[in-house]
Amino acid sequence: MEKTLNIIGGGMAGSEAAWQAANAGVKVVIHEMRPKVETFAHRTGNLGEMVCSNSFRSDDHEQNAVGLLHWEMLQAGGLIMQTAYKHRLPAGGALAVDRDPFAESVTAALKAHPNISVSYDEITELPEDGLWIVATGPLTSGALAEAIQKETGAEALAFFDAIAPIVYKDSINMDVAWMQSRYDKGETEEERTAYLNCPMTKDQYEAFIDALLAADKTEFKEGETAGYFDGCLPIEVMAERGRETLRFGPMKPVGLTNANDPENKPYAVVQLRRDNALGTLYNIVGFQTKMKYGAQNTVFKMIPGLEEAEFARLGGIHRNTFINSPTLLDAQMRLRSRPNIRFAGQITGVEGYVESAAMGLLAGRMAVAELNGEVLPPVPNTTAMGALVTHITGGAEAKTFQPMNVNFGLFPPLEGVKGGRRGRKDRYKAYTERAKADWQHWLGQTALDAA
Ligand SMILES: Cc1cc2nc3c(=O)[nH]c(=O)nc-3n(C[C@H](O)[C@H](O)[C@H](O)COP(=O)(O)OP(=O)(O)OC[C@H]3O[C@@H](n4cnc5c(N)ncnc54)[C@H](O)[C@@H]3O)c2cc1C
């Protein structure tokens, strides 16, 4: 019987998934709603359209996690990366591309492939039969989003990204910060010390509020909602409502004793919560923000203990449809409740063109294996690809799951390599060397034979 894979959405993820599967001999149908149904951000009917910036970010595959992901995808014959290099524009260490020729080239390659056909239609239901990949991205059409929500429950599908900044734990000054859950709540020592706390004096708090109020902020783009929703107010909006609002909200100092200075009660406390199972990343609780990146870098470093903080990602709020992957997807990226449906791309809670295409590459390969009656072995979490997929399918905290860029905080630490800022260059080199060897090994193990 002919093996067919249906893919909903021909963006970064859907295009890459189709390419991978088609090259392995599987017949692929891409269902793309554009140009019939438009989104507020896409401009053309091309497959693989870049909706905003024209950059795939750093191309440094020795010192940068996204550069490493470029490298891994290229090793796997990825269409998105191959095409990006073909249409590269000068941009220093970044991989910027000429966006229209890039998308035209992706579209032409997919349409010319004998195993791929494109159907220009909007899919509005989760299909019952056959093998499918949903790769409809941050701007998934309303009807399909509703169908997904019906299947997963309202809580498990988000329409906005309300991201608090995420900090590398090893850049936090623990002579100032301390670990403690409010009122020492918890059954185990681990639970009682689950939060990382940064204390503020009155003067520090007042200066912080002044800086928040004065900071440069971005406004919602056209088509995005201008309203905020409950539980997701940006901190600067809270500060605008009154100088004490934050001290009675996310910065309340109650139930905490500064382990570094037990005699002095902090006037306010900023709490950070563990963001991954490895304990290498911490998010600043309740600090979703619309401050511009430059302002965030300055203002958040005013927090005692975070003076030298390095951010795995900064905060933001924008339109973004994504599912709670850690609870909904299995390790093969299948919807647990409907295993004939995989998810890939930004809708799984990764963030960015490269990460989305990477998850498409993996989902495409997993689907091929399934059609061949096989199961792909887990991708080592020492690789950029593996670190990302491990994060979304279980490594991330499900309760506070927010979209994630690839970063070295997702990688298991290396024994015997110096931590902190000083050891960074050597550490990243060691991470990328380990990743490359492990990725090559995995690719060799899972070589896709044309079926
Ligand atoms: C406004 C905005 C700006 C962004 N800027 C950047 C940036 O500068 N850099 C960056 O790295 N990332 C950016 N992103 C994130 C970016 O969208 C993703 O990184 C990437 O495009 C996601 O890839 P994807 O394949 O998951 O989704 P997309 O590339 O969006 O592809 C999804 C496809 O599915 C189609 N589709 C949706 N619903 C249906 C349906 N029901 N039936 C059929 N087809 C459907 C859409 O038309 C689209 O072609 C931005 C996102 C938004 C919304």
Side-chain angles (χ1 to χ4, degrees), residues 77-112:
L79 174 68
I80 295 294
M81 292 323 302
Q82 283 173 11
T83 315
Y85 286 115
K86 227 188 274 170
H87 295 285
R88 184 170 197 165
L89 296 174
L95 176 55
V97 307
D98 199 354
R99 67 172 72 238
D100 287 336
F102 165 81
E104 282 156 16
S105 209
V106 169
T107 307
L110 292 170
K111 286 188 150 181

Side-chain angles (χ1 to χ4, degrees), residues 8-15 31-34 37 39-42 46 48-57 121-124 135-141 143-145 221 224 318-320 344-347 351-357 405:
I8 316 178
M12 293 294 154
S15 298
H31 302 265
E32 171 53 58
M33 68 179 186
R34 290 177 296 117
V37 181
T39 78
F40 80 82
H42 292 87
N46 286 333
E49 179 178 333
M50 300 173 96
V51 287
C52 187
S53 105
N54 68 333
S55 173
F56 284 94
R57 318 206 305 278
D121 53 356
E122 179 194 3
I123 303 289
T124 56
T136 44
L139 306 176
T140 296
S141 72
L144 185 64
K221 291 197 191 79
E224 293 175 305
H318 61 86
R319 169 80 202 276
N320 191 7
Q346 182 118 344
I347 197 167
E351 170 92 27
Y353 302 137
V354 184
E355 288 85 342
S356 298
N405 284 127

Side-chain angles (χ1 to χ4, degrees), residues 87-354:
H87 295 285
R88 184 170 197 165
L89 296 174
L95 176 55
V97 307
D98 199 354
R99 67 172 72 238
D100 287 336
F102 165 81
E104 282 156 16
S105 209
V106 169
T107 307
L110 292 170
K111 286 188 150 181
H113 201 295
N115 286 340
I116 297 177
S117 57
V118 184
S119 164
Y120 289 98
D121 53 356
E122 179 194 3
I123 303 289
T124 56
E125 293 292 336
L126 284 178
E128 297 286 341
D129 307 309
L131 206 60
W132 290 75
I133 295 178
V134 178
T136 44
L139 306 176
T140 296
S141 72
L144 185 64
E146 224 172 86
I148 295 170
Q149 203 168 31
K150 217 160 64 195
E151 177 67 25
T152 61
E155 291 296 299
L157 181 84
F159 290 97
F160 290 89
D161 212 342
I163 319 155
I166 295 175
V167 184
Y168 290 107
K169 164 96 185 295
D170 66 2
S171 69
I172 300 173
N173 182 355
M174 294 306 292
D175 292 337
V176 175
W178 78 99
M179 307 296 300
Q180 184 190 7
S181 298
R182 212 180 284 284
Y183 298 113
D184 297 308
K185 262 197 190 145
E187 303 280 302
T188 63
E189 183 59 14
E190 198 183 6
E191 287 170 355
R192 285 189 289 275
T193 55
Y195 287 78
L196 199 154
N197 305 283
C198 298
M200 275 191 189
T201 62
K202 184 168 192 312
D203 286 351
Q204 286 167 333
Y205 178 79
E206 296 297 344
F208 183 72
I209 298 294
D210 287 340
L212 268 184
L213 294 174
D216 265 357
K217 290 137 197 142
T218 47
E219 294 309 319
F220 274 106
K221 291 197 191 79
E222 191 195 341
E224 293 175 305
T225 178
Y228 301 116
F229 55 107
D230 275 0
C232 182
L233 275 185
I235 40 166
E236 60 277 3
V237 174
M238 281 192 250
E240 277 163 15
R241 292 184 172 181
R243 297 185 69 88
E244 289 291 282
T245 308
L246 281 168
R247 225 168 67 80
F248 286 92
M251 293 174 73
K252 60 179 177 280
V254 300
L256 296 164
T257 304
N258 184 349
N260 298 313
D261 186 7
E263 300 306 317
N264 280 318
K265 187 103 191 105
Y267 187 72
V269 174
V270 175
Q271 284 206 304
L272 290 89
R273 181 173 41 219
R274 198 162 86 165
D275 204 68
N276 62 343
L278 295 170
T280 49
L281 299 173
Y282 275 72
N283 73 66
I284 313 185
V285 181
F287 269 41
Q288 50 276 1
T289 176
K290 289 189 62 63
M291 279 189 287
K292 292 197 168 150
Y293 283 175
Q296 290 189 44
N297 244 312
T298 313
V299 174
F300 293 140
K301 286 182 177 170
M302 293 173 72
I303 299 170
L306 302 191
E307 295 86 349
E308 302 279 317
E310 286 181 45
F311 296 95
R313 69 166 301 161
L314 288 161
I317 299 180
H318 61 86
R319 169 80 202 276
N320 191 7
T321 309
F322 66 98
I323 58 169
N324 192 291
S325 293
T327 52
L328 298 177
L329 301 186
D330 67 12
Q332 291 285 317
M333 302 172 78
R334 286 177 302 210
L335 201 53
R336 289 180 195 278
S337 60
R338 299 272 290 274
N340 68 319
I341 297 171
R342 274 189 171 73
F343 278 73
Q346 182 118 344
I347 197 167
T348 62
V350 295
E351 170 92 27
Y353 302 137
V354 184

